[in-house]
Each structure stands twice: as structure tokens, then as C-alpha cells.
Amino acid sequence: MIDNHILAPIFVQLFTAIAQLICWRKTLTQRYLSVGGSLIGLMVAFRLFSRVYEGGILTLNAANWDAPFGIVFVADLLSVTLVLLTSIACFAVSIFSSVGLSRQRMLYGYFPIFHFLIMGLHGAFLTGDIFNLYVYFEVIIISSFVLMTLGGRKAQLEGAVKYMAMNILASMFFLTGIGILYGITGSLNMADLSLRIQEVQNKTLVGITSCFFIIGFGIKSAVFPLYYWLPSSYHTPPSAVAATFGGLLTKVGIYAMLRIFSLIFVPDDFTRTLLMAIAVFTILTGAFGALIKTNIRRLFSYLIVCHIGFMVGGIAMFSKAALMGAVFYLIHDIMVKTNMFLIAGLIRQLRGTMDMNKLGGLYGDYPKISLLIAVVLFSLVGIPPLSGFWPKVFLFQEAFTQHQYFYVAALIIGSFVTLYVIAKMWSEVFWKNPPASEEMENLFAPMPPYKKILMVLPIGLLALATLYIGLNAEAIVKVTDIISTQLMDPSAYIDAVLGNKTD
Amino acid sequence: MELLLVLILGLLYAAGVYLILRRSMVKLLLGIMLLGNGANILIFVLGKITKGSPPVINEAYKVFQEIYADPIPQALILTAIVISFGLTSFAIVLLKRVYALVDSDDLDNLNTPEEEDI
């Protein structure tokens, strides 16, 4: 069904950013515009989600060019779910950054760039054209470069060099892959590619092309041999930026993998084994890295890597239950990881540091905030019935069915290490007596009450979303069930795109 | 023509990868630029080069009568050039700034102990 509303989430972010560019240097107006724009974006995304959930896949042929020739935008349930989650995260982060960010950064255009980044994310989720996906990836990375370097401290710029080099390299791999793919099929439309790739005689070349995509998306989503840029750069930018990056950017890589490997390169035995090996090592290295870190944000960075492995493993098993687990985990992970970095920012605001050795006694001083944070931490660990628990059920079940015992072992180790480091963090940060040092600076207490509320509110919002995902898991399972059915059998997607002739 | 382009793009990729593996920041930048150009030529070659037949239909006909040059790879390359231009100029400014702060061209020196900010 052709529907122009697909572009609405992209346009809301675009116009918000443009309006903020007009109000350059008026940071208060920019803050109002940012929160307002995000709220409208959230409502639009919710409307698009309910339309697709009830009415099936929507498509839009740009400039009315028929499907395989023009650029096509497709809103299937996976895309709109991610657009909805991105909008929720965007809303929370924009509230947080309106108080949690120094005015200096706002003066140099933090808010417009942030909304361009979200626009890029929406575009990447909604496009049905592989070159257009590349262009949106570039929109995302150029915005993220600016956000990463904004402020210009030494550590930040050093982190940015690594981040930039790896991401540009990933784009080059992706572009090379697209070039070869166009050479062997003569199409860029993903639905059309799905049909044409089956007619290619030279299967080896197809396999090699898929490796380019694995490397390109692997760097972006930070999987095992390619993840080093993430822990060495994510602890440097301000927490609001780190929350956007940690919650959303690596997940775009996972989304692209889900899309490309379900639609174009349906995994054969080699790809499955490769992805499974990547997944196991990603979980293990992420988990062991998290064990030794004392800085909260570095610890979270390694946990991101560890949990990316869970999802890659789900893609590697490539069955309905496995994809349900992977998509459910993706939904849970976006909400929780965004929140974790916001929490890190709040802790830094309360105590002036993120080093666990220098922290302590938060529970005694701020019991309510601590309890709120506890809910999020429990969800991350996956204590039943909270949100991290349900996807693991699917992943374990499918791993046993397919006899992937290495993955089972990695899942258990990954989950236990997550539990251990979070428990350690809880006792170090919240229960331990604060170390008797005078350098502790509380930036939170002198803030006016409305600012305090604005700082805790986004964490509460995201915690509510996490609670909803956990306690109302049946609804989420229904959604993931439809998504994984669409992913396993892409004929609905292909029909929706190619069956829509305008004449 | 194809053979020449294939050789050039192989050379560009090889030189790009070699330069990226070096420790110098400037070489990293050059490597990225060479890889980008290599990728552009790759798209051009794989789009099947057709000489002297532009994708314009004769007035008398409704469809193409013979093989024509595919315009899509050129559109793709144009987009990719513009994007890599933007990225490269950002990278140059970033590396210049880092060089001014760290006073070193060596990528291994980029490990300042963490400082914190919200």
C-alpha cells in the first residue's frame, strides 16, 4: 500500500533541525524546539507503527518512479518498531540534554546535529534501497563525528580519531559491497535484489560479496575482531551523546544485518558458522573486558559489545524462534543501553566522577533515584519478569534445538558476567561507604528543582518503557512474532515493494 | 580500458590498505582517500563500460535499440564522491586539531588517561 506518512518521522526531525539552525545561539529556544520536535516525532512514529501493525507493510516510491528503478521507502513492522524505539530514546535524550549539557556545546550546534543524527537513523530504518541505506549511514556517521568531537577536549578528540577511522573504513567496505552487488545483479532495490541474487550463477562471488557486508556492518555494530574502536571512544563524549551512540548506533548495524541477511544473502552454512563464531567471541571478549573496568562508562561500553553478540548469535541461527529472540533483545537493548548511559551521566552529576573506586554511598543519599536505577539494572541483567529475561528464553531454546552448545555456553557466561559486574557496580556505587575524600563535587544539589526533575524524568520514562516491555512481554512477543515471520519469508516484503505499480 | 581500470583500482585498494595499516595519522587519511577512490572506480568498472552510446533515445523510437551506457553507476559515484569529500574535509580538520593538541603524528600516542565530563 502506498502511503506518504512513511516519510513523516524523517521530515519531523529534518524540520526540527532546520528550525534550530535558524535559532543559532539561542539555546533556550533550541531546547524547547528539541523537546517539542522529539515529542511530535514520537507521536508520528507511534501513528506509523499502529498503521503498519494493523494494515501491513506500507511503501512509498520516491518521485513516483516504479519500484525497482526509483528509490523506495518501505515501512514493515521491523522498521517501524525501530523507528518507534528510536523516537522514544530521542525524546528521553533530548529532555536529558536540555539540562545535562554545558551551554558551550549547545552554542556550537549540539541540538541541530542531534536531530540530523536521528533523521539519519529513521531514514536508514525506512529505506528499501541499498544505496540509499549507504547514504543514510553516511548521514549518521558525519553527525556522530560532530557530536563526538563537540567540546574539543583532548581525550574526546583522540577517541574521535579511532571512531572516525573505523567508521569510514566500514563505509568503504559497505560501498565496495554495493558496487559488486550492482555489478552482478544490476539492481539496488533490496526487494528486487532478493529475487535477482537467486539467479546469479557464480555463488562464490555472492559469498564474497556477503563477506564485505559482514565486515562493513560488523565494524558498525562492534562485533568481535572489529570492536576495538567502541570501548576506546564511547567513554569520551558527554553522557547525552554517549546515550544516543550506545543505545542506537550499534543497533543500526544489527538492523542492517537482519535486513540484508534475511532479504538478500540468505545465510548458508558458511555464513552461519562465521556469524556464530563471531557471536561467541563477541560475547566472551565483551564480558571479560567488562570485568576489569572501573570506569562506569567503559564498563557499559564493554557490556554493549557483549550483548551485541547475543543478537548476532540470533541472526546466525536464522530460524523463526532465533530471530524472535534477536529482535526482542534488540527492542530491549535500545531502551536499556540508552538509559544506562543517561544513568552514568546522572551519577557523574551527583558525585562528579564515574570512577567506581571514588564513588559510594549513593543509596544512602538518594534512595529514590537509586531504586529507579535498580529497576533498570535488573532489566539489563534479565531478572524475570523484567525485559532482559524474555529474549534469552527464545535464544536458549533455539540454541539447544540447533545444538549450538558453544553459543549456549557463551550466553550463560555473558549473562553471569553481566550479573556479576552489575552487582559489583551496585555495591561499589550505591552501598559502599563513600571514600573519605574532599574532591567529591555534587553538581546535582545546587540545581533548581525543575532541572533536577528534567534530569531524572528521562531515566524514569525509559525505565517505564523497559518495565512495559518486561511486564507486558506478551504484546512484544506478538510484535516480534510478526517481524520474524516477515524476516523468514520475505515474500510479503517483496510483493509490497514490487507489486505497487503506479500506472 | 577495463584492464587498465582494474589494475588502477587494485593498486588504489592495495595502497589504501597499506597506508591505513601504518601508524601515522596523515598516512591514515591518505589511505582512506585512496580507498574511497578505489571504491568509486570499482563501481564504474562493474557498471559495465560502454563506449560512445549515451543513454538517450532516438526521437523515432520508444525504447533503446542497442546497448547503452548505464547512467546509474555514474550517479552512485557522484554521490559517493560528494560524501567522501565531506568526510575527508572533516577528517583533515580533526587530525589537524589532534596534532595540535597531542603534538604527535603517531596513532599510538592517542591514549591520554581518561578525563571526565557529563
Side-chain angles (χ1 to χ4, degrees):
Chain A
M1 209 165 74
I2 296 233
D3 196 311
N4 289 340
H5 289 89
I6 296 174
L7 290 180
I10 303 176
F11 278 135
V12 169
Q13 300 296 335
L14 177 67
F15 290 132
T16 312
I18 291 174
Q20 286 170 335
L21 284 178
I22 296 170
C23 308
W24 190 256
R25 299 193 80 81
K26 293 186 185 116
T27 54
L28 193 65
T29 325
Q30 284 189 348
R31 284 180 234 188
Y32 283 124
L33 278 172
S34 172
V35 177
S38 311
L39 185 62
I40 296 172
L42 179 59
M43 293 191 292
V44 166
F46 196 76
R47 186 152 170 272
L48 185 63
F49 176 81
S50 56
R51 271 172 161 241
V52 173
Y53 187 60
E54 280 153 20
I57 302 172
L58 304 175
T59 63
L60 168 71
N61 296 335
N64 244 358
W65 288 95
D66 274 348
F69 304 110
I71 290 172
V72 60
F73 286 88
V74 188
D76 71 343
L77 200 58
L78 175 62
S79 305
V80 289
T81 310
L82 288 172
V83 166
L84 180 62
L85 292 168
T86 310
S87 304
I88 297 173
C90 165
F91 182 54
V93 172
S94 79
I95 297 176
F96 187 87
S97 37
S98 65
V99 287
L101 213 70
S102 68
R103 184 154 185 280
Q104 209 57 35
R105 287 206 169 85
M106 293 182 195
L107 281 177
Y108 284 96
Y110 166 78
F111 281 117
I113 304 291
F114 170 69
H115 285 280
F116 278 127
L117 176 71
I118 303 292
M119 180 195 89
L121 289 167
H122 285 338
F125 293 140
L126 288 172
T127 187
D129 182 280
I130 197 156
F131 192 77
N132 205 232
L133 182 65
Y134 165 77
V135 174
Y136 275 114
F137 265 86
E138 299 300 305
V139 172
I140 294 169
I141 65 171
I142 193 78
S143 320
S144 63
F145 290 169
V146 179
L147 288 182
M148 185 135 239
T149 49
L150 208 64
R153 287 171 312 110
K154 199 171 161 192
Q156 222 181 336
L157 292 182
E158 287 176 354
V161 171
K162 300 159 194 167
Y163 180 76
M164 174 207 76
M166 286 312 280
N167 272 290
I168 293 186
L169 194 62
S171 301
M172 287 306 150
F173 273 106
F174 187 18
L175 186 62
T176 310
I178 293 174
I180 302 175
L181 200 56
Y182 184 76
I184 57 179
T185 59
S187 178
L188 291 168
N189 183 298
M190 291 203 263
D192 196 29
L193 277 172
S194 169
L195 298 175
R196 290 206 192 185
I197 202 93
Q198 293 161 9
E199 295 159 12
V200 177
Q201 301 298 323
N202 192 345
K203 291 292 172 208
T204 329
L205 190 58
V206 175
I208 293 172
T209 317
S210 75
C211 286
F212 276 103
F213 285 94
I214 291 184
I215 297 173
F217 297 144
I219 296 177
K220 295 222 184 266
S221 53
V223 296
F224 162 60
L226 312 161
Y227 72 87
Y228 297 97
W229 57 270
L230 191 146
S232 57
S233 62
Y234 270 24
H235 65 285
T236 58
S239 286
V241 176
T244 326
F245 286 13
L248 299 168
L249 290 200
T250 46
K251 295 353 171 243
V252 191
I254 294 291
Y255 162 78
M257 273 194 201
L258 274 173
R259 184 63 88 206
I260 299 289
F261 285 105
S262 68
L263 207 54
I264 303 173
F265 307 104
V266 178
D268 51 9
D269 281 343
F270 170 72
T271 323
R272 282 182 189 213
T273 321
L274 181 67
L275 283 174
M276 187 47 88
I278 288 176
V280 170
F281 281 112
T282 308
I283 297 174
L284 293 180
T285 45
F288 294 143
L291 276 177
I292 53 162
K293 293 295 168 197
T294 53
N295 182 298
I296 299 179
R297 279 209 303 206
R298 283 192 181 235
L299 193 157
F300 290 166
S301 304
Y302 273 102
L303 284 183
I304 292 181
V305 175
C306 173
H307 296 158
I308 286 289
F310 291 5
M311 290 175 257
V312 176
I315 301 174
M317 289 189 284
F318 203 72
S319 66
K320 189 163 181 288
L323 286 180
M324 275 174 82
V327 173
F328 200 142
Y329 206 90
L330 186 62
I331 295 172
H332 147 82
D333 210 48
I334 290 178
M335 288 294 102
V336 172
K337 287 292 183 326
T338 312
N339 213 352
M340 298 301 281
F341 280 92
L342 292 184
I343 287 169
L346 181 66
I347 291 176
R348 143 88 201 184
Q349 196 77 0
L350 291 170
R351 284 290 190 256
T353 178
M354 287 190 225
D355 189 349
M356 286 203 281
N357 296 327
K358 294 182 193 157
L359 284 163
L362 266 185
Y363 185 74
D365 295 350
Y366 297 96
K368 282 180 207 146
I369 293 179
S370 299
L371 281 178
L372 178 63
I373 294 175
V375 171
V376 183
L377 295 179
F378 275 130
S379 308
L380 175 75
V381 176
I383 307 285
L386 294 168
S387 63
F389 169 70
W390 304 109
K392 283 182 195 158
V393 175
F394 290 105
L395 290 175
F396 269 114
Q397 188 194 357
E398 193 56 29
F400 274 113
T401 323
Q402 297 197 9
H403 308 293
Q404 300 280 5
Y405 296 114
F406 283 112
Y407 181 62
V408 172
L411 265 179
I412 293 173
I413 295 173
S415 307
F416 265 109
V417 171
T418 310
L419 174 66
Y420 170 72
V421 293
I422 292 299
K424 190 178 80 170
M425 181 197 143
W426 179 259
S427 64
E428 291 267 328
V429 177
F430 294 92
W431 276 349
K432 185 181 70 178
N433 284 328
S437 63
E438 59 288 347
E439 73 224 65
M440 206 83 93
E441 43 170 344
N442 191 338
L443 303 166
F444 191 70
M447 283 163 81
Y450 80 94
K451 279 196 174 178
K452 284 184 186 170
I453 291 174
L454 283 181
M455 201 148 206
V456 182
L457 182 71
I459 297 176
L461 270 177
L462 288 177
L464 268 183
T466 323
L467 278 180
Y468 176 79
I469 294 172
L471 301 180
N472 198 2
E474 196 191 342
I476 311 291
V477 168
K478 260 186 205 157
V479 173
T480 51
D481 186 48
I482 303 173
I483 291 175
S484 54
T485 315
Q486 284 178 352
L487 285 175
M488 288 304 291
D489 176 24
S491 57
Y493 184 96
I494 296 167
D495 284 348
V497 175
L498 297 180
N500 253 327
K501 303 283 181 218
T502 41
D503 49 18
Chain B
M1 182 67 180
E2 264 99 341
L3 186 66
L4 182 68
L5 282 175
V6 168
L7 286 176
I8 289 177
L9 88 86
L11 198 66
L12 283 172
Y13 267 93
V17 170
Y18 176 74
L19 285 174
I20 282 179
L21 293 176
R22 304 299 299 246
R23 284 190 354 208
S24 153
M25 285 197 291
V26 178
K27 284 176 185 160
L28 169 76
L29 181 69
L30 290 173
I32 288 171
M33 287 156 80
L34 290 185
L35 266 189
N37 288 325
N40 290 341
I41 295 180
L42 176 92
I43 298 174
F44 187 58
V45 173
L46 282 172
K48 294 190 184 58
I49 302 169
T50 317
K51 216 175 163 186
S53 52
V56 181
I57 306 178
N58 194 312
E59 266 183 63
Y61 302 111
K62 283 210 154 163
V63 288
F64 284 108
Q65 299 301 303
E66 54 194 27
I67 295 172
Y68 62 98
D70 189 354
I72 291 183
Q74 295 167 28
L76 301 187
I77 295 168
L78 196 61
T79 318
I81 287 176
V82 174
I83 290 172
S84 65
F85 174 74
L87 287 177
T88 316
S89 47
F90 180 86
I92 292 173
V93 175
L94 174 66
L95 292 182
K96 180 174 172 288
R97 189 82 199 106
V98 172
Y99 180 72
L101 278 173
V102 183
D103 202 21
S104 160
D105 183 41
D106 192 338
L107 284 167
D108 278 2
N109 287 345
L110 300 184
N111 288 312
T112 311
E114 54 209 46
E115 29 175 330
E116 288 175 349
D117 200 2
I118 51 160

